[in-house]
Amino acid sequence: MKLNRGLAAALACWLWLAACCGVVGWRFLQGLPVDTDIQSMLPSGGGDAVERAAISSASQAAAGRTAVLVSAADEQTVQAAASDLEADLAATGIFSPDRQDVEATGHWLFANRNELLCQSDPSKFTADEARRTARRALADVYSVSGPVTGDLLRQDPFLLTIRLAECLSPVGAAQPGGTTRLVSGRIATSAFRLDAQASVIKAFDGWKAEWAPKGVTAARAGAVFHADAAAASATADMTLIGTLGTIGVVLLFFAAYRTIRSAVQAMVLVAIGLAAGLGATLALFETVHVLVFVFAAMLVGIVSDYAVHALASGPATNWAGTRERIDLVGRPITVSMATAVIGFGSLALFGVPLFQQVALLSGVGIATAWAFVLWVLVPIDKRPKNADFLRAWWTKLEDIRERVKIPAVVAWAGVAVLVGVSIYGAMKLSYLDDVRAFQPRPADLVAEEEQVRSAGYAGSGVTFLLSVGDRAQEARQREEAALAQAPGAVRLLATTRFDPSLQRRAANASALRANLYQPLLAEHAANVGLDPVEAAAPPVSVSADPPSWMADLSGEVDGQHYLIAPLLDPAGWTGPTTQGVRLVDPALRYSDAFRTYREHALMALAVAAICAIGATLLVYRRLAALSILVPPLLACAVALLAPPALGFPLTFFSFAAALVLLGIGIDYAAFQWEAGLQHDRWTAVAVFIDALTTLLSMGLLILSSTYPVRSFGLTVTIGIAAALCLSHIPRLVAMRVGTTGKT
Amino acid sequence: MILRAGLIASLMLTLAAPAMAECARPEELAMVRGEHAFTQTRTLKGVARPLVSSGTLEAQADGVVWKVTKPIEIVTRIGPKGVTQSIDGGPEEAVGAAGANNPFFSETGLLDLLRGDLSKLDTRYQVARGTRAKPEGWKLALTPKSASVTPYITSIAIEGCMRVESVAVAQANGDMMRIDLKPGQTRAAQ
């Protein structure tokens, strides 16, 4: 019966793994489901829903803007190279050139020309302005440079369409002349998706390979290039950390167990945990952030801990029966799993997609690995042929470990150093919440972007004017009122300049009639060869669809209508005083969010600690067992205070690391508690191997080029070292409890 | 805009003077600086009467100044940095998107022509050469090669003998522009 239960559990493990692998395979077949957007670190719930949606829309629109400034020695080469690049980018299927937007915008302006004005206030379209407009139209007709056609002149005698296109100029940019050309457009999908980046970068690199030998150079601007650089950096981090961690763990396992098989078993266990975690995450999330994979490296440390203890129970018990070995390691592994899952689970409470993914991937990964250790790994880890040799080696390790006695003076000196560093850190406490400093932008891309901007490319502003109203018309009216307050130097892309409120449309039309059409049309028609009677007839109504870029700048959330107007040049404007309108700087909002998370992280740590207290009391049912929590809590304190002492400001990620540290620290302490009760020697060796594997995985995050990941690694490294040293406290308490119990 | 581009490119030939006393080969025209009188006639589809303007065209070292004196005063300066325009003696203002969003720099070889380099004419246009009977002279029929120009300009016809005497641009939408040039004060480029 027992055998059947074990087999059934093992079968369930494999079926679960197969299902997870199926999800992973299915999702990857549909396209690389990985995104690199730093906004995934932002909360997905709570706060101002309208502002959140607006930030998302504005960021999406801004991130999609892409431009390349092409330069060559002569005009023909540069023209050919630019045309080729535009064709190559368009061939990706996700890039639409600004030329298309310009055409659609032109149709829209023509259809709405008699209800739009260059002036943001209709009262500023005076009789003098109207006369100037008429003279400009006359000049266009008679000058060599006037872009006039007969069709346009008959339907738009004052050439208002041309004037509006000049003054509103919403999309695209000034086309530099001479030997430079600007290829600009929008990426339809998220620029932060790896597959989108891959296709755009592939097209660009292919074009560059063809044209660079001909002396053509290119300067890039756009989030897609930055995101690609960030993804490359994260991939390099992942490769470095993953490779070093894997090699280190394999060597460590071989050194400890003297078999390649144990190392392979540990690595397979890690792979199983990752596959299960990834499958569960991809089942619930459309994409997984690339940083999740970096954080997932920590699974190597935790999951291999379980393998360490399970495999160590072999030589330690001379490969006793499965039940006996599970009795030995089952309880501490289960406590460790439960506290680790609680620790990771608490990350999900922040409502940040990235951390929800980390929590899910890690939680499911750890739980799956735990199940495989108990129901698959231990049952298949039978007594090997060279068992005597392996047991002798393990005993030797226990002897070596036992011979290591730390003199009291050294221990107290260590404590003094930790206390001193902590006090100094507490005095030097500093924080980094500014997301702009999290991931420094590559200098070459920043320089190229400046080059593109110098050539006249407007790009798209990140900061925007947000106008909110109960009705779409109200939002429009509010944006119009706010724009009237903006200083002249401010440049922004506002929907209402192209599609005003009904009230403003009527006012514009009235100003055009009163100052332009009624007093000047007859004379002007005669001047440009039009039949005055025909010209005076009401214009033929023409309909046009709004350009697609306009749709990106408006939305509705919970019955609230909003408009976004990206600031291309804020010119120091601090925003309007209009009700329902405000300037929004997403970077500032993100930084505020991270500051709030950080401030609440201590509370989350406290909650996790309380949960751990409950779990510990539930499992061990004695107060003395709470000594298990002393090492992890002290380790968390040291790990959070030491980085500022070393000059590294704390981030929210430091606190996230502390949450994870709590789980791992309990793992070490729980095993030491069990060892103290049973007076065994093998646990001390196993915990030491645990700590080394954790440092080889999570600790190596300290090598990351991204500060949040680095700060995570730093906190874990310091904390693991402290947790290892302090884990002897519960062992000593347990030994005393055991002795008292016997007497 | 494209119309303007083709037209300007063609008109650059007017800045050339014959190298010989009789009708010169167009390719052998050397660049000159100075002033030429012009009459521009625009025939727009659906507009009852032709729109006629007149003025002077002045070639300078780094560009062209196109002055319309009738029926409105317009001064258009075309240079390597873009196009500016002054109306009725008012301030000079950039034309279009800072005057730089202008394909005639990119697609017609204006700056080459300004430098007196006519050798690239046939890289941008299919050039058909012919003769004019009365008065005796030559004709060039230019067809744009670039796919980005052909939707706007169908053909350009240039006539002359000792100099370019007229340029006619046929637009794809049926509009026409003809410019007749008369000699003014010219001087050969150094």
Side-chain angles (χ1 to χ4, degrees):
Chain A
M1 191 63 185
K2 281 182 182 175
L3 184 66
N4 287 343
R5 269 211 302 270
L7 277 177
L11 186 62
C13 287
W14 288 112
L15 286 175
W16 165 247
L17 180 65
C20 291
C21 288
V23 171
V24 174
W26 175 60
R27 291 298 307 278
F28 271 80
L29 279 176
Q30 292 178 321
L32 204 56
V34 179
D35 90 284
T36 57
D37 192 353
I38 196 167
Q39 288 175 71
S40 301
M41 295 181 188
L42 293 177
S44 57
D48 184 338
V50 172
E51 184 174 291
R52 216 168 46 243
I55 286 177
S56 174
S57 302
S59 302
Q60 179 87 5
R65 301 285 301 133
T66 304
V68 178
L69 184 68
V70 182
S71 305
D74 62 84
E75 292 177 27
Q76 278 174 291
T77 305
V78 78
Q79 183 62 35
S83 301
D84 196 31
L85 175 60
E86 187 175 289
D88 287 353
L89 289 174
T92 62
I94 57 171
F95 177 85
S96 59
D98 279 338
R99 284 187 303 100
Q100 290 175 4
D101 276 344
V102 168
E103 200 172 317
T105 306
H107 287 142
W108 174 264
L109 291 177
F110 175 74
N112 294 275
R113 65 192 181 282
N114 289 319
E115 294 178 342
L116 300 177
L117 284 177
C118 283
Q119 292 74 13
S120 58
D121 180 352
S123 68
K124 290 180 181 166
F125 187 71
T126 58
D128 281 347
E129 279 297 333
R131 266 193 297 279
R132 268 194 288 277
T133 302
R135 295 302 280 179
R136 282 291 302 273
L138 197 62
D140 277 349
V141 170
Y142 288 105
S143 89
V144 70
S145 61
V148 183
T149 68
D151 293 332
L152 179 66
L153 188 63
R154 277 184 291 114
Q155 296 175 74
D156 184 9
F158 289 109
L159 303 179
L160 297 176
T161 308
I162 296 173
R163 297 290 87 77
L164 290 165
E166 285 173 350
C167 69
L168 299 180
S169 186
V171 289
Q175 182 60 266
T179 54
T180 57
R181 293 287 179 279
L182 188 69
V183 176
S184 63
R186 290 185 299 152
I187 294 174
T189 183
S190 168
F192 296 105
R193 279 187 67 111
L194 281 184
D195 48 1
Q197 291 161 26
S199 59
V200 170
I201 300 300
K202 186 182 171 192
F204 177 78
D205 287 347
W207 170 85
K208 199 172 173 185
E210 184 187 342
W211 287 94
K214 297 171 187 170
V216 175
T217 58
R220 300 158 294 168
V224 69
F225 298 113
H226 286 282
D228 177 63
S233 167
T235 305
D237 284 355
M238 212 159 51
T239 307
L240 177 68
I241 294 166
T243 305
L244 285 180
T246 305
I247 291 172
V249 169
V250 167
L251 290 176
L252 182 66
F253 270 61
F254 185 75
Y257 301 107
R258 309 298 291 177
T259 65
I260 293 292
R261 192 184 64 171
S262 63
V264 172
Q265 284 172 332
M267 286 300 103
V268 169
L269 193 63
V270 170
I272 286 171
L274 279 174
L278 187 58
T281 311
L282 284 175
L284 293 182
F285 290 89
E286 191 186 343
T287 57
V288 176
H289 195 278
V290 70
L291 275 182
V292 172
F293 292 99
V294 178
F295 280 111
M298 69 180 70
L299 276 186
V300 178
I302 296 175
V303 170
S304 59
D305 282 359
Y306 301 162
V308 166
H309 291 286
L311 295 173
S313 69
T317 62
N318 199 15
W319 286 275
T322 300
R323 170 52 51 199
E324 190 181 334
R325 287 175 65 183
I326 288 179
D327 285 346
L328 190 65
V329 298
R331 189 165 67 171
I333 284 182
T334 303
V335 170
S336 166
M337 182 275 292
T339 52
V341 169
I342 288 170
F344 279 112
S346 59
L347 292 179
L349 300 177
F350 291 98
V352 183
L354 172 67
F355 286 102
Q356 288 168 342
Q357 291 171 9
V358 171
L360 190 59
L361 187 141
S362 305
V364 172
I366 288 170
T368 303
W370 165 81
F372 266 84
V373 164
L374 294 184
W375 289 301
V376 179
L377 180 59
V378 172
I380 65 168
D381 185 40
K382 304 293 185 192
R383 181 183 169 80
K385 287 178 183 171
N386 57 346
D388 291 337
F389 164 73
L390 297 178
R391 185 165 160 69
W393 173 255
W394 184 259
T395 305
K396 192 176 174 183
L397 290 178
E398 289 178 352
D399 292 342
I400 293 170
R401 172 64 191 86
E402 204 162 65
R403 278 201 297 273
V404 176
K405 302 287 183 192
I406 299 172
V409 65
V410 173
W412 283 112
V415 170
V417 168
L418 286 180
V419 171
V421 166
S422 298
I423 291 171
Y424 184 67
M427 290 161 60
K428 292 283 178 184
L429 216 52
S430 60
Y431 304 102
L432 180 66
D433 300 312
D434 187 350
V435 292
R436 288 163 292 200
F438 279 0
Q439 205 165 23
R441 302 193 301 164
D444 58 337
L445 277 178
V446 172
E448 287 182 31
E449 204 157 73
E450 188 49 45
Q451 213 179 322
V452 178
R453 285 189 187 281
S454 300
Y457 177 62
S460 182
V462 175
T463 301
F464 60 89
L465 191 72
L466 175 63
S467 307
V468 185
D470 291 334
R471 292 168 294 106
Q473 284 299 315
E474 187 180 39
R476 285 179 194 285
Q477 286 167 8
R478 286 179 168 176
E479 184 178 91
E480 285 161 355
L483 293 181
Q485 292 181 22
V490 174
R491 288 179 59 226
L492 39 66
L493 181 57
T495 311
T496 53
R497 300 307 317 279
F498 300 85
D499 189 8
S501 65
L502 296 175
Q503 195 181 28
R504 177 59 58 89
R505 279 178 179 271
N508 287 344
S510 171
L512 283 167
R513 264 196 314 273
N515 295 325
L516 187 69
Y517 283 101
Q518 285 172 0
L520 302 175
L521 182 60
E523 181 191 350
H524 180 72
N527 285 341
V528 298
L530 295 173
D531 178 351
V533 176
E534 196 181 315
V540 179
S541 176
V542 182
S543 65
D545 292 328
S548 57
W549 62 263
M550 230 192 268
D552 296 340
L553 300 181
S554 61
E556 183 190 351
V557 175
D558 300 337
Q560 292 274 292
H561 296 261
Y562 67 86
L563 291 174
I564 297 161
L567 261 72
L568 306 177
D569 183 357
W573 190 34
T574 53
T577 54
T578 315
Q579 187 195 358
V581 187
R582 61 188 183 276
L583 278 185
V584 177
D585 181 352
L588 212 60
R589 294 290 191 275
Y590 302 159
S591 301
D592 285 347
F594 277 110
R595 189 172 61 244
T596 307
Y597 297 156
R598 181 174 52 70
E599 287 166 358
H600 287 85
L602 271 176
M603 193 175 290
L605 202 57
V607 170
I610 290 167
C611 291
I613 289 170
T616 306
L617 288 176
L618 193 68
V619 173
Y620 293 105
R621 299 177 188 279
R622 60 173 71 177
L623 281 174
L626 292 180
S627 63
I628 291 171
L629 299 179
V630 173
L633 290 175
L634 288 178
C636 284
V638 171
L640 288 174
L641 293 172
L646 299 171
F648 295 97
L650 295 177
T651 67
F652 164 68
F653 297 83
S654 311
F655 291 90
L659 283 166
V660 176
L661 186 60
L662 186 69
I664 298 173
I666 291 173
D667 176 15
Y668 299 168
F671 271 102
Q672 292 283 31
W673 167 268
E674 296 278 349
L677 287 179
Q678 295 167 20
H679 297 280
D680 71 38
R681 301 196 315 151
W682 66 275
T683 300
V685 178
V687 167
F688 183 70
I689 297 171
D690 279 352
L692 286 181
T693 51
T694 305
L695 290 175
L696 283 169
S697 50
M698 278 188 276
L700 286 178
L701 294 177
I702 207 170
L703 299 176
S704 172
S705 56
T706 307
Y707 188 76
V709 180
R710 203 159 63 237
S711 70
F712 189 101
L714 186 62
T715 305
V716 167
T717 301
I718 295 169
I720 289 296
L724 178 66
C725 296
L726 295 167
S727 68
H728 292 279
I729 293 172
R731 184 188 183 98
L732 295 173
V733 173
M735 287 170 73
R736 182 166 293 179
V737 166
T739 307
T740 309
K742 280 176 186 171
T743 55
Chain B
M1 197 64 86
I2 295 288
L3 164 67
R4 181 199 330 167
L7 181 63
I8 292 293
S10 311
L11 285 172
M12 290 310 102
L13 291 173
T14 67
L15 307 182
M20 301 174 291
E22 298 178 355
C23 280
R25 286 166 53 87
E27 295 85 349
E28 292 171 355
L29 296 175
M31 181 179 167
V32 294
R33 294 179 195 160
E35 222 173 61
H36 306 255
F38 76 85
T39 302
Q40 173 183 298
T41 306
R42 246 182 182 169
T43 308
L44 302 180
K45 198 175 72 173
V47 176
R49 65 172 170 83
L51 303 170
V52 181
S53 58
S54 59
T56 59
L57 167 66
E58 186 183 343
Q60 298 179 337
D62 60 349
V64 173
V65 181
W66 184 276
K67 293 179 183 171
V68 178
T69 50
K70 286 180 182 176
I72 178 174
E73 197 178 309
I74 314 163
V75 179
T76 306
R77 294 180 192 279
I78 303 158
K81 290 184 179 174
V83 182
T84 62
Q85 199 167 72
S86 157
I87 301 167
D88 295 331
E92 284 193 8
E93 292 175 355
V95 171
N101 193 10
N102 197 328
F104 73 43
F105 285 128
S106 57
E107 304 192 22
T108 64
L110 168 64
L111 292 179
D112 284 341
L113 295 170
L114 282 173
R115 292 183 202 107
D117 179 7
L118 307 184
S119 61
K120 292 176 183 168
L121 191 65
D122 58 1
T123 63
R124 299 176 189 278
Y125 301 98
Q126 296 281 358
V127 183
R129 292 168 174 78
T131 54
R132 186 178 65 181
K134 280 188 180 178
E136 189 180 347
W138 45 259
K139 292 195 291 192
L140 294 180
L142 309 183
T143 309
K145 286 180 179 175
S146 168
S148 58
V149 177
T150 47
Y152 306 97
I153 294 178
T154 308
S155 65
I156 299 172
I158 305 171
E159 293 184 13
C161 173
M162 307 292 284
R163 56 181 176 76
V164 172
E165 293 165 8
S166 72
V167 177
V169 179
Q171 286 179 251
N173 67 353
D175 291 348
M176 285 287 297
M177 179 184 277
R178 181 183 172 88
I179 296 173
D180 293 295
L181 295 135
K182 292 176 184 171
Q185 295 176 335
T186 62
R187 59 185 184 279
Q190 298 301 307

